[in-house]
Amino acid sequence: DAGVIQSPRHEVTEMGQEVTLRCKPISGHNSLFWYRQTMMRGLELLIYFNNNVPIDDSGMPEDRFSAKMPNASFSTLKIQPSEPRDSAVYFCASSPRQGWVKNIQYFGAGTRLSVL
Amino acid sequence: GQQLNQSPQSMFIQEGEDVSMNCTSSSIFNTWLWYKQDPGEGPVLLIALYKAGELTSNGRLTAQFGITRKDSFLNISASIPSDVGIYFCAGQSEIQGAQKLVFGQGTRLTINP
């Protein structure tokens, strides 16, 4: 099993540019989660999907952030326009089955974003 | 919102020593999880706890789900250099059919050989 795959691993961009982060969940998993990790705020849930449908986006910081899941094997997190305070490590996680108490989230290696 | 208080924030120990860290919450969770994060990687699950009072071991790791469902601890016995990293507790609850995680702030473990 390849695990959750995220790309790119590192992204450096200039303020105002559009940034797109990509995630391929583990095959067969029904739920997908996007997290942001910073020194100040730790790991924060941004949004999650069940069966490709966004369920809760209350963690998305502002309208500059958007996420999509066009099919069961792919999701994107887009920031437009990017700002220096968006610099963080962004993680994608997937879990195998919704509504099951032993449902465990598996994390990708993350994308380290630096906005200059 | 839900918050987890994890302590200590950092630990500096000698190789071979035992380690203990814990998490407390103002909310009840139906599952407690402990993850470890190595530099440049995502969190990896170490132990999952599903029942209040449950005590579970995974090699040198032992974790317990508090009886009130608002706390958990993780112990590491006889630490070795590869135990270095950041340890996170996480409380899991079901929201609209998905298992949502709330993470503690992490415990950074440093081991002197």
Side-chain angles (χ1 to χ4, degrees), chain B residues 23-103:
Chain B
C23 265
T24 59
S25 169
S26 57
S27 303
I28 290 174
F29 291 102
N30 57 30
T31 301
W32 278 89
L33 306 167
W34 286 92
Y35 285 84
K36 183 192 178 203
Q37 186 176 21
D38 291 326
E41 300 295 330
V44 174
L45 183 68
L46 298 174
I47 288 183
L49 302 156
Y50 303 108
K51 292 171 58 177
E54 178 181 356
L55 183 70
T56 296
S57 293
N58 178 8
R60 294 179 295 107
L61 277 60
T62 301
Q64 184 158 31
F65 190 155
I67 197 71
T68 64
R69 306 177 83 185
K70 293 183 177 182
D71 62 295
S72 177
F73 72 75
L74 174 70
N75 288 340
I76 306 173
S77 62
S79 58
I80 60 178
S82 61
D83 292 334
V84 166
I86 303 177
Y87 292 79
F88 292 96
C89 62
Q92 182 167 284
S93 55
E94 183 173 333
I95 306 290
Q96 297 189 46
Q99 299 296 338
K100 193 171 177 180
L101 291 179
V102 176
F103 282 88

Side-chain angles (χ1 to χ4, degrees), chain A residues 42-90:
Chain A
L43 270 162
E44 302 175 281
L45 178 65
L46 300 177
I47 185 172
Y48 70 89
F49 296 81
N50 270 353
N51 294 318
N52 313 338
V53 177
I55 300 300
D56 183 356
D57 64 355
S58 59
M60 296 284 262
E62 8 183 314
D63 292 345
R64 297 184 297 106
F65 286 68
S66 62
K68 294 182 180 179
M69 192 165 185
N71 57 63
S73 59
F74 184 65
S75 177
T76 60
L77 177 67
K78 184 179 293 186
I79 308 172
Q80 180 184 22
S82 58
E83 297 182 2
R85 60 192 167 124
D86 302 330
S87 298
V89 182
Y90 291 82

Side-chain angles (χ1 to χ4, degrees), chain A residues 2 6 13 16 20 30 34 40 47 54 67 80-82 86 91 112:
Chain A
Q6 292 187 246
T13 190
T20 299
N30 296 95
W34 282 101
M40 290 297 295
I47 185 172
Q80 180 184 22
S82 58
D86 302 330
F91 288 103
R112 181 174 294 277

